[in-house]
Amino acid sequence: MFQFDSLSAFIAMGGHGPYIWLSYLATALVLLWLVATPLLRTNRLMSALKRQQTLQHRESGKYQDISPGPRTEERSP
Amino acid sequence: MSAPPILECRDIAFERDYTPIFSGLSFTLWRGQILQVKGANGSGKTTLLRILATSLTASQGSMFWHGNDLEGHRQEYRFDMLYLGHQPGVKAALTPRENLAWLRPLHPKAGHDTNQALAAVGLAGMEDVPCHTLSAGQLRRVALARLYLSDASLWILDEPFTAIDRDGVGKLEILLQDHAQRGGAVVITTHQHPQLDNLCELDMVRYGVS
Amino acid sequence: MARTRPLLPEWFHRLGSPKGFYQMTSSWMPWLAVTAAVLLLVGTVWGLGFAPQDAKQGNSFRIIYIHVPAAFLALAGYYVMAAAGAIGLVWKMKLAHMVMKAAAPLGAALTLISLVTGSLWGKPTWGTYWVWDARITSMLVLFFLYLGVIALHYAYTNGEAASKASAVLALVGTANIPIIYKSVDWWYTLHQPATIKLTQAPSMHPDMFYPLLVMIAGFYCFYALVLLLNTRSEILHRERRTRWVLDMAEGGRS
Amino acid sequence: MASPDAAPPELATATAFRAVLTRDLTLAFRHRGDMANPLIFFVMVATLVPLGVTPESGQLALLAPGMIWVMALLASLLSAETLFLADHRDGSLEQLALSPQPLWLLVLAKIIVHWLVTGLPLTLLSPLLGVMLSLPQAGFGPLVVSLLLGTAALSMIGAIGAALTVAIPRGGLLLSLIVMPLYMPVLIFGASAVQLAVDGISPSGALAILGALLAFSCLISPFATAGALRVSLHG
């Protein structure tokens, strides 16, 4: 048995409507955010790994070694 | 060798923040041996020493002290082991005598006289000078003085020769030699070439993760 | 050297391996998501639309259907987090540390929900958004405890040390929660003995009580769902160099 | 050379405890200037209240019990960070952790000295603040007794936070964040003990619970701090 005689009464909630709907909205947003963060994080990681995989096949030995060669040993070891 | 080795490590591995540093490291340390851990910077020398000193726990592997699993004998092990790390572990505001006064009771063993120990490391006459007036090398000598005071059979020394002058290094080498001959064992890391006989080496590069 | 582990059943260790846990829980996720959604929807519609009005508070009491479950789970969530931390410390299980890291923000969010809904409920009941009521003050302190654990976790650069340190803090916090709650109650009765307690459910007519049970069950399922989601995402993040994760990345998300 | 089958080594734990105690006392004495900082902070914050709220003594008297306690809490919170920081930097903390002596006992010695150097002076100075904030006469006795018990409990709890944040650069603010919720019960019973006395009601109930809190933290804190130190050294 529906407690309110009309939709507008349901929304007004006997004058307390704004507080009730605001708190339900806030809760819904937080719950959605809680579900969304891990899913987004996994997606970002997966696409990064996929890109990294394809990149690895092409990129290898990209940088030329500029460290000084072994010095000829003048003094005895 | 009838008696079990002083220290035996089997298949030690360590990873920091989920990145492996070294793995599969095994060795045995017998009485009278001095083990030098060699390896480039960042190869895990200090990490290994801190694991041996039970300051760090290895991710895998097990360690045995006199044949017993170290897990059950931590307190006896620490009673019989002395670890000197990179930092001297000496309070700058106190004098060498006061520093040794609080460091000695941590390893209460038949100890020699503090003055003799400080004289042996070349700090005679500076026993009551605040340590912050001493040089870095002298600060390390205060820590090294503990070697003369302790009867621990296993010494783990991380870069003991740094900031020590020539004759100090000579004296320290003799001390390590005597300790080994008396049936003790030493694990050290150093980039210098210590003149010590029956020195065995462990190169970290063999256990590094490619 | 690995600590000699106390005797534990084999499945506990198999559960302990992150990969095993990930694959085992993959089949649960859809069911958990559906049940949580259905329970929450049914509970909300029932509570908002069909539950009778409260004699004194009128319709504003309908906020109880999200305030009480959130407050209840916020506290239970702290114990879940501390238990996971303790298991991680004692049995050195990486997975337990991951569960703890997942539980912390979840618990903090639920505490925040209960604070916000409590304050919005307070406005029609007491005329102001914030009243230093015993229950709400304890909830605020619980929120600070959560923030402390999260802040400590992020302060460490080394992941393992971060988990161990925050596990110790969570355990110390657990030992203090009963003390904090009792001392806040004592403090509250000392200063303001008269006013009604907000979340003392007014004489609950059965029709009001059933939706509350549905909502609590819904929040429980939701908590398990998000905890698993966070833990699984943490597993993938930490095992991103391993073969099985790379294969999964290439083979499209499973 | 000892080996495991030899008789368990005679550890002389008591001498180690005394050694760490005297070491920290001499260190504190060498840095006498630092001991004054929490006290100066304590008195300075007390002057903020009349400036910020009201100089009128009638109203100040209402605020005094709670405010003095809040200021004592903040002063002891500020000084909690110094408990392990210096030892961690020069390596002596690692030496304490690697000694065969039980770490919780050595930590207990450090906490006791920390209380003697910060908590006790705060307690002895608090009557001065009582006068400055026109605390009613009945409140002075309970104020000193509650601070005596309270600052000891605060030092104990603060040690856990200090141990958890010792390895974190700029860990001071984080220390306050994680320790403040644990301080609240002590503040509640400490401040209300003074408030009850001012209102003419016997404060013995609140003081008894404050003593119980001190006993509880003495039981928990050394072990939690030792555990936290080992975690920080691992980092």
Side-chain angles (χ1 to χ4, degrees):
Chain A
M1 49 312 163
F2 194 60
Q3 290 298 321
F4 302 92
D5 37 37
S6 77
L7 186 63
S8 61
F10 177 65
I11 295 190
M13 281 274 181
H16 294 152
Y19 307 113
I20 297 170
W21 294 116
L22 195 60
S23 48
Y24 272 80
L25 182 69
T27 311
L29 287 179
V30 173
L31 295 189
L32 284 177
W33 176 76
L34 279 176
V35 176
T37 9
L39 292 176
L40 287 176
R41 189 173 176 226
T42 314
N43 280 352
R44 239 180 292 119
L45 176 71
M46 281 304 166
S47 47
L49 286 180
K50 190 177 282 185
R51 239 181 303 110
Q52 181 200 337
Q53 295 284 82
T54 47
L55 262 178
Q56 230 149 20
H57 306 321
R58 278 190 267 110
E59 303 286 331
S60 58
K62 194 168 158 193
Y63 300 107
Q64 186 241 345
D65 179 11
I66 52 167
S67 62
R71 192 191 310 261
T72 52
E73 284 297 311
E74 294 91 10
R75 49 184 173 71
S76 64
Chain B
M1 272 298 194
S2 63
I6 282 194
L7 186 63
E8 185 192 355
C9 294
R10 290 193 200 134
D11 198 16
I12 298 279
F14 185 77
E15 53 179 42
R16 172 166 293 123
D17 205 7
Y18 307 105
T19 48
I21 310 277
F22 59 81
S23 60
L25 188 145
S26 304
F27 71 91
T28 51
L29 186 64
W30 300 90
R31 289 181 184 285
Q33 268 188 329
I34 299 176
L35 178 69
Q36 180 183 0
V37 178
K38 308 185 77 162
N41 297 92
S43 58
K45 298 198 297 293
T46 301
T47 309
L48 175 62
L49 259 63
R50 288 190 71 199
I51 291 174
L52 299 182
T54 65
S55 179
L56 278 177
T57 322
S59 316
Q60 274 148 28
S62 43
M63 283 163 62
F64 298 89
W65 176 66
H66 289 295
N68 301 48
D69 189 335
L70 199 60
E71 206 46 51
H73 294 267
R74 257 173 197 271
Q75 198 178 27
E76 289 94 337
Y77 176 71
R78 284 183 180 150
F79 185 79
D80 195 34
M81 174 272 302
L82 194 58
Y83 169 72
L84 297 183
H86 274 298
Q87 297 148 323
V90 161
K91 302 300 289 183
L94 300 179
T95 67
R97 193 190 304 280
E98 283 164 346
N99 268 308
L100 291 180
W102 75 269
L103 280 165
R104 274 185 62 187
L106 299 181
H107 294 78
K109 275 258 189 109
H112 312 292
D113 174 40
T114 310
N115 298 331
Q116 282 169 342
L118 286 172
V121 289
L123 288 174
M126 284 185 253
E127 292 88 351
D128 297 306
V129 163
C131 285
H132 57 72
T133 59
L134 300 178
S135 72
Q138 287 166 326
L139 262 181
R140 285 196 73 81
R141 286 162 176 264
V142 177
L144 290 174
R146 293 177 64 193
L147 297 179
Y148 289 93
L149 290 173
S150 148
D151 276 356
S153 59
L154 174 61
W155 290 352
I156 302 175
L157 312 174
D158 201 343
E159 311 269 356
F161 299 113
T162 45
I164 304 291
D165 53 36
R166 187 174 303 284
D167 76 320
V169 167
K171 262 201 216 142
L172 190 52
E173 281 168 352
I174 296 163
L175 176 68
L176 298 184
Q177 204 67 64
D178 293 350
H179 179 69
Q181 262 130 30
R182 282 201 308 273
V186 181
V187 181
I188 59 170
T189 59
T190 177
H191 289 298
Q192 301 167 4
H193 305 292
Q195 312 304 329
L196 294 162
D197 41 38
N198 70 28
L199 177 75
C200 38
E201 288 173 357
L202 182 141
D203 201 328
M204 292 301 289
V205 74
R206 282 179 49 221
Y207 309 98
V209 180
S210 60
Chain C
M1 71 307 296
R3 188 186 297 270
T4 46
R5 295 175 184 211
L7 285 170
L8 279 176
E10 177 39 34
W11 62 267
F12 188 84
H13 289 293
R14 196 170 50 74
L15 189 71
S17 91
K19 179 167 183 268
F21 180 85
Y22 188 90
Q23 278 151 357
M24 199 167 74
T25 51
S26 298
S27 56
W28 302 355
M29 300 314 283
W31 293 105
L32 212 50
V34 166
T35 5
V38 162
L39 281 174
L40 286 177
L41 268 175
V42 164
T44 312
V45 168
W46 190 350
L48 279 180
F50 294 89
Q53 272 190 8
D54 174 66
K56 288 198 295 298
Q57 293 183 14
N59 283 313
S60 70
F61 105 97
R62 293 183 194 284
I63 297 181
I64 196 174
Y65 294 118
I66 36 175
H67 178 75
V68 166
F72 184 72
L73 261 170
L75 187 59
Y78 196 92
Y79 289 114
V80 166
M81 178 176 74
I87 293 172
L89 273 179
V90 170
W91 283 286
K92 285 200 180 312
M93 262 167 70
K94 272 193 260 181
L95 184 72
H97 282 312
M98 293 186 202
V99 170
M100 186 191 75
K101 188 178 183 214
L106 176 52
L110 286 172
T111 324
L112 189 64
I113 290 178
S114 71
L115 283 172
V116 165
T117 50
S119 137
L120 283 171
W121 190 357
K123 178 70 177 164
T125 324
W126 286 323
T128 65
Y129 283 108
W130 184 260
V131 165
W132 290 98
D133 160 76
R135 201 60 75 242
I136 291 195
T137 316
S138 313
M139 196 55 66
L140 186 64
V141 176
L142 181 67
F143 189 54
F144 293 147
L145 283 174
Y146 270 116
L147 293 185
V149 171
I150 295 171
L152 185 63
H153 203 289
Y154 282 104
Y156 274 85
T157 46
N158 171 345
E160 274 171 83
S163 326
K164 287 188 202 144
S166 28
V168 169
L169 181 61
L171 285 173
V172 168
T174 319
N176 275 286
I177 283 184
I179 297 172
I180 291 173
Y181 271 63
K182 284 290 171 287
S183 44
V184 166
D185 285 349
W186 186 87
W187 156 81
Y188 184 68
T189 46
L190 187 69
H191 291 281
Q192 265 170 334
T195 54
I196 61 150
K197 279 206 167 53
L198 184 65
T199 48
Q200 193 77 39
S203 55
M204 286 291 270
H205 182 282
D207 289 352
M208 295 183 188
F209 197 65
Y210 294 141
L212 185 58
L213 290 184
V214 171
M215 281 303 272
I216 289 181
F219 265 78
Y220 252 97
C221 287
F222 180 83
Y223 184 90
L225 173 72
V226 176
L227 190 66
L228 279 179
L229 276 175
N230 275 329
T231 314
R232 284 159 60 88
S233 137
E234 188 65 25
I235 290 172
L236 292 181
H237 188 71
R238 289 203 182 161
E239 307 264 322
R240 60 187 180 279
R241 282 191 207 80
T242 56
R243 190 76 256 139
W244 69 280
V245 174
L246 294 172
D247 294 348
M248 199 195 309
E250 253 165 65
R253 249 175 343 93
S254 81
Chain D
M1 297 300 167
S3 60
D5 36 44
E10 189 264 321
L11 275 175
T13 317
T15 33
F17 179 82
R18 263 200 311 279
V20 173
L21 206 71
T22 37
R23 176 196 89 148
D24 270 32
L25 280 174
T26 12
L27 270 173
F29 190 72
R30 292 277 155 80
H31 299 298
R32 278 190 302 286
D34 297 350
M35 272 157 65
N37 296 348
L39 303 180
I40 301 167
F41 172 87
F42 194 37
V43 177
M44 258 200 292
V45 170
T47 54
L48 296 185
V49 175
L51 295 177
V53 181
T54 156
E56 197 271 323
S57 66
Q59 280 180 313
L60 274 182
L62 289 175
L63 289 172
M67 282 313 292
I68 297 177
W69 248 93
V70 166
M71 293 178 237
L73 183 142
L74 293 179
S76 105
L77 193 61
L78 270 178
S79 60
E81 190 188 4
T82 60
L83 198 53
F84 299 115
L85 210 53
D87 288 349
H88 183 67
R89 287 219 179 93
D90 56 31
S92 46
L93 195 62
E94 191 165 34
Q95 292 302 329
L96 288 177
L98 290 185
S99 83
Q101 311 294 357
L103 181 56
W104 66 268
L105 195 66
L106 307 180
V107 158
L108 185 61
K110 287 185 70 66
I111 297 173
I112 291 170
V113 170
H114 176 262
W115 177 69
L116 288 175
V117 161
T118 53
L120 193 56
L122 282 180
T123 312
L124 300 179
L125 192 66
S126 57
L128 170 68
L129 266 76
V131 169
M132 282 167 69
L133 298 176
S134 58
L135 177 73
Q137 197 49 35
F140 278 82
L143 176 69
V144 173
V145 172
S146 65
L147 277 175
L148 204 62
L149 296 170
T151 45
L154 295 181
S155 286
M156 280 285 171
I157 301 168
I160 303 175
L164 282 171
T165 56
V166 69
I168 299 167
R170 295 178 314 286
L173 188 60
L174 182 64
L175 166 62
S176 328
L177 196 93
I178 56 179
V179 158
M180 199 86 75
L182 310 177
Y183 274 0
M184 287 175 187
V186 178
L187 172 70
I188 287 174
F189 288 105
S192 52
V194 185
Q195 186 63 51
L196 286 171
V198 162
D199 299 345
I201 309 161
S202 138
S204 54
L207 288 176
I209 299 174
L210 196 59
L213 284 178
L214 172 59
F216 179 73
S217 50
C218 285
L219 193 65
I220 296 266
S221 161
F223 301 98
T225 309
L229 280 179
R230 290 210 190 280
V231 166
S232 295
L233 287 169
H234 264 240

